[in-house]
């Protein structure tokens, strides 16, 4: 019943590949098909010879027919399940119409050592097959093999033995086609996996470096370490591209890297989520989860695959349970409108689906899946979503570093930086530039009469008037309490005076609502123009003109040189 529920749940996430080409009784007829355009999945009924290595003509009386991909410890012969330990031969005959073509097979996950024979010739092997455990050498070797045939019937035999892993047999689809198409499949897979590896690895180092520079929260360092561990896992899973770098890596070490990688990375991921949403997760659950994960990693490191492989399935379901708990807590954070919770919630949903997919596939509850391990793709999507959260965080930080919180104008620091750039440009082109320094007349009286809240309202209204009165090219900033500055690029004294006067008149004619009273304010302005002065000198002279305006009665513009 449970298996059926899982299958119903995953039908929207797994493509159950219905073959256009029906393999029945160990035979596939492709003589009327154009293999130039497609690659064939060799899924269906293969001949199966239990506890036999068939090198030439098989004993017909001993053959059965079994579906691949599937592990053989799920097969029944004479109403009896066969054991995981042992050896067997798979056989398929394919009829083609071209004997001058170079053909290929893309081999995925075969557990655990095997030989591939085509038309009674050994084409490739992984590890050492044997009828007894003592002579058996396991190996993980996804690969592509190419061959020519002098017969329109291609006789494929795959001899497999396993004595030390919980599952046995051909677990993933075998692809068949002409060599160039098989090579393209390999290329696509290679490019995709290297892309995922590079993207996840870069994001890992990027997050760690940002933490060391104190640019983002410390939680991101956990995420960075998690990404690096997952990048390593991408190399050792699916088509195991680590074999391109270390072709002679020991099978047991290879498997330990895979299992320890995700066992050790899980508590890192827990720490990341916990630090991101501190108020929503039980510290006790986080600690227990971390201890259990690390204990399992230690068991894997110091025991053989024949032992820890049986514990692994329980550990995988435990991971799923904890991730569902995380989903519930992040859902609470989303309901409470916590920043970044929506993006991380979507990412966790994708991760849950991915973990479900990978666990159910690993436990043979689902027989066919789009890819052997969907976690790298889910992780990549999660990273993109988290990067979006990070980008929003950076954008806000940058804006906060530039903008005055009350008036939403540029702050003093950014005003100076932007004005210096404009001065350099104006000097190169021998152009005039001007600055206006202005403040609100009798602002202390406003604060005393209406309080600081009333003063803030006046400042906000004053900022709005200034913003509406300047040109797009002008730079407007709040440089003090009630003091503001406007830098006017490529503006001579006459033009600067006109702009200042326009602002003064508009301020004078604007009524501001304070405690249900219409209040008028005025402003005094100092203007200075040059084509050679430094910014600090320009500000100094404009400030002097501002004080001249105040001393001569206020509500005036002074631009004397």
């Amino acid at each position: 019943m449970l298996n059926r529920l899982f299958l119903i749940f995953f039908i929207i996430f797994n493509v159950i590949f219905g073959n256009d080409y029906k393999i029945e009784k160990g035979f596939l007829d492709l003589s009327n098909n154009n293999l130039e355009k497609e690659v064939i999945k060799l899924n269906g009924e293969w001949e199966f010879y239990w506890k036999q290595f068939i090198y030439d003509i098989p004993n017909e009386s001993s053959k059965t027919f079994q579906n691949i991909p599937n592990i053989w410890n799920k097969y029944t012969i004479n109403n009896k399940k066969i054991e995981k330990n042992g050896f067997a031969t798979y056989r398929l005959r394919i009829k083609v119409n071209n004997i001058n073509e170079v053909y290929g097979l893309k081999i995925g996950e075969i557990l655990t050592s095997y030989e591939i024979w085509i038309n009674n010739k050994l084409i490739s092997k992984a590890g050492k097959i044997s009828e007894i455990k003592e002579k058996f050498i396991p190996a993980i070797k996804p690969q592509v093999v190419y061959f020519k045939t002098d017969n329109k019937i291609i006789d494929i035999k795959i001899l497999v033995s396993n004595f030390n892993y919980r599952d046995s047999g051909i677990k993933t689809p075998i692809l068949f086609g002409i060599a160039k198409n098989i090579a393209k499949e390999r290329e696509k897979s290679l490019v995709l996996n290297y892309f995922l590896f590079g993207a996840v690895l870069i994001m890992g180092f990027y997050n760690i470096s940002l933490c060391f520079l104190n640019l983002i929260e410390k939680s991101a360092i956990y995420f960075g370490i998690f990404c690096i561990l997952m990048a390593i896992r991408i190399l050792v899973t699916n088509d195991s591209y680590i074999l391109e770098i270390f072709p002679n890596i020991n099978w047991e070490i290879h498997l330990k890297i895979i299992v320890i990688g995700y066992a050790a990375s899980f508590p890192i991921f827990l720490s990341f989520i916990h630090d991101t949403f501190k108020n929503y997760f039980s510290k006790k659950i986080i600690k227990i989860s971390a201890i259990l994960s690390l204990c399992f990693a230690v068991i894997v490191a110091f025991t053989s695959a024949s032992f820890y492989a049986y514990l692994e399935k329980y550990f995988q379901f435990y991971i799923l349970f904890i991730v569902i708990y995380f989903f519930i807590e992040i859902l609470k954070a989303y309901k409470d409108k916590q920043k970044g919770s929506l993006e991380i919630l979507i990412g966790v949903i994708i991760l849950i689906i991915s973990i479900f997919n990978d666990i159910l596939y690993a436990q043979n509850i689902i027989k066919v899946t789009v890819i052997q391990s969907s976690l790298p793709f889910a992780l990549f999507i999660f990273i993109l979503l988290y990067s979006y959260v990070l980008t929003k965080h950076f954008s806000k930080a940058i804006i906060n570093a530039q903008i005055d919180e009350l008036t939403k104008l540029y702050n003093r620091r950014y005003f100076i930086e932007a004005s210096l750039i404009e001065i350099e440009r104006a000097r190169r082109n021998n152009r005039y530039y001007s600055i206006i320094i202005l403040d609100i007349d009798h602002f202390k009286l406003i604060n005393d009469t209406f309080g600081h809240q009333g003063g803030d309202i006046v400042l906000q209204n004053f900022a709005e008037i200034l913003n509406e009165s300047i040109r797009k090219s002008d730079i407007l900033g709040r440089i003090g309490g009630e003091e503001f500055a406007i830098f006017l690029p490529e503006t001579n004294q006459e033009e600067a005076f006109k702009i200042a006067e326009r602002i003064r008149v508009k301020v004078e004619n604007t009524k501001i609502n304070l405690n249900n009273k219409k209040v008028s304010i005025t402003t005094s302005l100092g203007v200075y123009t040059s084509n050679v002065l430094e910014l600090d000198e320009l500000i100094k002279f404009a400030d002097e003109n501002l004080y001249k305006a105040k001393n001569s009665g206020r509500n005036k513009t002074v631009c004397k040189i």
Side-chain angles (χ1 to χ4, degrees), residues 105-226:
L105 294 173
K106 186 174 185 292
I107 309 296
E109 191 175 3
I110 297 181
L111 304 168
T112 56
S113 61
Y114 62 90
E115 290 182 357
I116 300 172
W117 292 71
I118 295 177
N119 294 342
N120 300 326
K121 293 179 183 178
L122 178 62
I123 301 298
S124 185
K125 64 179 182 176
K128 183 179 180 182
I129 63 170
S130 176
E131 298 178 1
I132 58 174
K133 184 176 181 179
E134 290 70 24
K135 294 184 179 180
F136 157 79
I137 300 175
I140 297 176
K141 192 180 179 182
Q143 60 177 308
V144 170
V145 297
Y146 301 105
F147 60 91
K148 291 194 75 171
T149 179
D150 54 5
N151 194 317
K152 287 192 175 183
I153 299 294
I154 300 174
D155 189 345
I156 302 172
K157 297 188 189 78
I158 302 178
L159 286 56
V160 183
S161 60
N162 175 61
F163 291 97
N164 64 347
Y165 195 59
R166 69 166 189 258
D167 296 329
S168 307
I170 302 174
K171 196 172 182 183
T172 59
I174 294 173
L175 303 183
F176 169 77
I178 61 175
K180 67 177 183 180
N181 290 339
I182 292 293
K184 284 179 185 176
E185 286 292 323
R186 167 73 171 173
E187 243 176 67
K188 283 192 291 185
S189 180
L190 188 68
V191 168
L192 180 59
N193 275 274
Y194 279 151
F195 167 74
L196 288 173
F197 168 74
V200 174
L201 187 69
I202 289 168
M203 185 52 67
F205 284 117
Y206 177 64
N207 276 271
I208 291 172
S209 64
L210 289 178
C211 283
F212 282 123
L213 293 171
N214 293 317
L215 295 176
I216 54 177
E217 294 84 358
K218 295 295 181 186
S219 63
I221 198 166
Y222 294 120
F223 188 71
I225 295 169
F226 176 70

Side-chain angles (χ1 to χ4, degrees), residues 300-407:
V300 173
F302 292 100
T303 62
S304 66
S306 58
F307 176 77
Y308 67 73
Y310 290 100
L311 297 178
E312 186 182 359
K313 62 182 178 181
Y314 299 108
F315 180 73
Q316 289 173 338
F317 281 109
Y318 145 75
I319 287 177
L320 185 59
F321 170 77
I322 295 298
V323 172
I324 291 172
Y325 161 72
F326 271 46
F327 166 72
I328 293 168
E329 295 303 313
I330 293 171
L331 188 59
K332 291 177 185 177
Y334 170 67
K335 287 180 179 178
D336 292 343
K337 298 182 178 179
Q338 295 294 310
K339 292 176 183 177
S341 58
L342 175 60
E343 293 83 358
I344 292 180
L345 177 64
I346 294 169
V348 169
I349 291 171
I350 293 168
L351 284 174
I352 289 173
I353 293 169
S354 167
I355 292 169
F356 253 117
N357 176 82
D358 290 1
I359 290 175
L360 297 183
Y361 176 72
Q363 302 305 322
N364 293 287
I365 294 173
I366 54 175
K367 298 296 187 298
V368 182
T369 183
V370 177
I371 47 176
Q372 299 170 46
S373 177
S374 60
L375 186 59
F377 298 91
L379 177 64
F380 181 67
I381 295 170
F382 186 88
I383 287 171
L384 290 180
L385 290 168
Y386 181 68
S387 299
Y388 174 68
V389 173
L390 198 62
T391 301
K392 286 204 300 184
H393 172 84
F394 269 143
S395 298
K396 188 173 180 181
I398 290 169
I399 290 170
N400 288 341
Q402 296 176 348
I403 302 298
D404 173 64
E405 189 176 350
L406 178 65
T407 62

Side-chain angles (χ1 to χ4, degrees), residues 7-140:
L7 284 171
I8 292 169
F9 182 77
F10 276 91
I11 196 163
I12 57 174
F13 305 114
N14 290 275
V15 178
I16 307 303
F17 296 100
N19 257 340
D20 293 333
Y21 309 96
K22 201 169 183 181
I23 298 177
E24 289 184 327
K25 306 297 182 185
F27 186 80
L28 176 61
D29 188 352
L30 297 176
S31 57
N32 295 321
N33 298 96
N34 182 7
L35 294 177
E36 286 283 337
K37 297 179 180 178
E38 56 191 325
V39 169
I40 311 298
K41 283 187 176 68
L42 300 181
N43 297 346
E45 288 182 341
W46 285 51
E47 293 179 16
F48 183 75
Y49 300 86
W50 176 234
K51 291 199 172 177
Q52 295 179 66
F53 285 147
I54 307 297
Y55 294 95
D56 43 36
I57 300 172
N59 180 357
E60 293 292 321
S61 64
S62 63
K63 81 177 174 186
T64 62
F65 297 99
Q66 305 290 350
N67 282 308
I68 75 158
N70 202 353
I71 57 172
W72 76 43
N73 28 317
K74 293 283 184 179
Y75 296 161
T76 56
I77 298 177
N78 298 325
N79 296 320
K80 186 178 178 182
K81 268 192 177 182
I82 63 176
E83 57 194 90
K84 70 174 182 66
N85 289 338
F87 56 98
T89 298
Y90 296 85
R91 185 186 183 214
L92 173 66
R93 289 175 300 143
I94 303 174
K95 187 176 182 181
V96 295
N97 60 8
N98 190 349
I99 61 172
N100 297 315
E101 188 65 77
V102 178
Y103 295 97
L105 294 173
K106 186 174 185 292
I107 309 296
E109 191 175 3
I110 297 181
L111 304 168
T112 56
S113 61
Y114 62 90
E115 290 182 357
I116 300 172
W117 292 71
I118 295 177
N119 294 342
N120 300 326
K121 293 179 183 178
L122 178 62
I123 301 298
S124 185
K125 64 179 182 176
K128 183 179 180 182
I129 63 170
S130 176
E131 298 178 1
I132 58 174
K133 184 176 181 179
E134 290 70 24
K135 294 184 179 180
F136 157 79
I137 300 175
I140 297 176

